[in-house]
Amino acid sequence: MTVPSDITSTDHDLGPDGGSQDLSSAPTVVIDRAGLTYTVRTLTAPASGSPKRRWLKGLRASRMSRVEALRPLSLVIHHGESVGVIGTNGSGKSTLMNMITGRLRPTTGTIHATSTPIMLGVNAALVRTASGNDNITLGCLAMGMTPAQVEAKRPSIVELSGLAGKLHLPLRSYSSGMASRLQFAIATSVDPEILIIDEALNTGDAQFRDRTRARIDELREQAGCVFLVSHSLNTIKTMCTRVVWIEQGELIMDGPPAKVTANYRKYTKLLSEGLKDEAAEFRAMRQKSLRLTTVTWT
């Protein structure tokens, strides 16, 4: 996928408390009215008759239903941006990320990127029976490095992971947090232009979080782009320059981290108190104030 340079778009939702965002740099990812709809078969079996008869009637009564996993939306992500993606479980966050990586093809609209996105945990898959050191070698080779490049990168990978004393052990002896740290260190060793991280930064101690934050800053300074999917609003606020809130397959807000996370926190508080109608009304109000992005190809 490629992104032409001759593209313009509207600004995203910048409230009066959000300051300004420099969108003059070239776009890295362009999502142009992209959405995803699944077609599933549903069966409605009658309640009367023998089990066999109900089963046969149920087959004849089957019908196809359409499930809109992600409604069409447009976003333009520029070089140097670190974009947090938030939303409750099942809201469509993973669907959007998989569409950006190309693992899922949108059923409507298009997605363009300047390079192949690297998704943490996918491009840097780990082998449980191999040692940490061997996983570094295998992961880097799988991402296109030469053996010499792997050895040149190894010290920085080891330092970032913080697992120097554990890398001789097989991966099956690692905790999930240790494995995530190693995945992050391997995935970011190739200086990806577009990196997608899903929850991995919630693991590890404060020193690891500081190292990952510094690494993300490096990627942004190298004209990269980072997507961070997380339920940790504090992580989102400290590591991102922009936040996108997706709920029930719809884009609700797109703007400064402090503003978007504060509104999302209020929404989830209403849900936790059982005030579903009030939460739905609050969400609708936030979405109504969203300044929609319009992609114009010239």
Side-chain angles (χ1 to χ4, degrees):
M1 296 183 290
T2 59
V3 173
S5 58
D6 50 348
I7 178 175
T8 59
S9 71
T10 63
D11 291 347
H12 48 75
D13 180 18
L14 296 176
D17 58 336
S20 61
Q21 178 84 22
D22 180 13
L23 299 181
S24 60
S25 59
T28 302
V29 176
V30 174
I31 304 171
D32 186 8
R33 297 183 296 276
L36 184 66
T37 300
Y38 293 104
T39 301
V40 297
R41 183 183 296 275
T42 58
L43 300 177
T44 305
S48 60
S50 66
K52 181 178 180 181
R53 187 176 183 82
R54 291 201 304 269
W55 182 77
L56 291 173
K57 286 184 177 180
L59 289 182
R60 290 196 296 270
S62 66
R63 60 187 178 85
M64 304 304 292
S65 298
R66 293 168 61 85
V67 177
E68 200 167 28
L70 191 67
R71 295 187 180 181
L73 59 85
S74 295
L75 295 170
V76 177
I77 314 301
H78 292 75
H79 286 288
E81 286 196 289
S82 179
V83 182
V85 183
I86 60 177
T88 57
N89 290 332
S91 61
K93 304 186 301 296
S94 295
T95 298
L96 177 59
M97 295 302 102
N98 284 320
M99 286 167 56
I100 292 174
T101 61
R103 299 183 69 202
L104 290 176
R105 181 184 294 273
T107 52
T108 182
T110 56
I111 296 179
H112 306 267
T114 54
S115 65
T116 301
I118 289 182
M119 188 170 187
L120 182 60
V122 176
N123 296 67
L126 302 180
V127 181
R128 288 181 54 79
T129 56
S131 69
N133 272 316
D134 288 343
N135 269 288
I136 291 175
T137 301
L138 293 171
C140 291
L141 291 175
M143 291 188 292
M145 291 189 196
T146 65
Q149 290 172 328
V150 174
E151 294 310 311
K153 289 286 187 178
R154 190 181 299 275
S156 61
I157 295 173
V158 173
E159 180 181 2
L160 180 56
S161 70
L163 299 172
K166 305 289 185 181
L167 293 175
H168 65 285
L169 298 173
L171 191 72
R172 61 173 177 266
S173 66
Y174 287 21
S175 66
S176 59
M178 292 167 63
S180 293
R181 290 157 63 181
L182 186 58
Q183 281 182 316
F184 178 82
I186 295 172
T188 58
S189 65
V190 293
D191 298 326
E193 184 178 14
I194 304 170
L195 176 66
I196 299 174
I197 308 169
D198 192 349
E199 292 292 348
L201 299 186
N202 292 341
T203 62
D205 55 21
Q207 289 184 340
F208 174 69
R209 289 193 292 272
D210 288 342
R211 290 194 298 269
T212 56
R213 185 181 297 112
R215 181 60 180 135
I216 287 179
D217 288 341
E218 288 178 11
L219 292 173
R220 289 173 48 207
E221 290 171 3
Q222 295 164 5
C225 164
V226 178
F227 290 90
L228 174 57
V229 182
S230 179
H231 288 289
S232 172
L233 298 185
N234 288 334
T235 299
I236 291 288
K237 286 176 63 177
T238 57
M239 294 192 179
C240 298
T241 60
R242 174 181 174 186
V243 175
V244 171
W245 172 15
I246 297 176
E247 198 65 37
Q248 297 185 9
E250 293 185 293
L251 178 63
I252 306 300
M253 293 188 72
D254 174 14
K259 179 181 179 181
V260 180
T261 55
N263 280 273
Y264 178 71
R265 196 184 300 274
K266 183 175 181 178
Y267 170 74
T268 55
K269 186 175 186 294
L270 290 172
L271 288 179
S272 66
E273 294 173 349
L275 304 175
K276 294 183 178 180
D277 291 341
E278 289 83 350
E281 182 179 356
F282 178 80
R283 186 183 71 238
M285 290 176 60
R286 297 284 75 76
Q287 186 179 32
K288 188 176 181 180
S289 64
L290 173 69
R291 294 174 58 186
L292 296 177
T293 295
T294 301
V295 177
T296 303
W297 302 91
T298 58

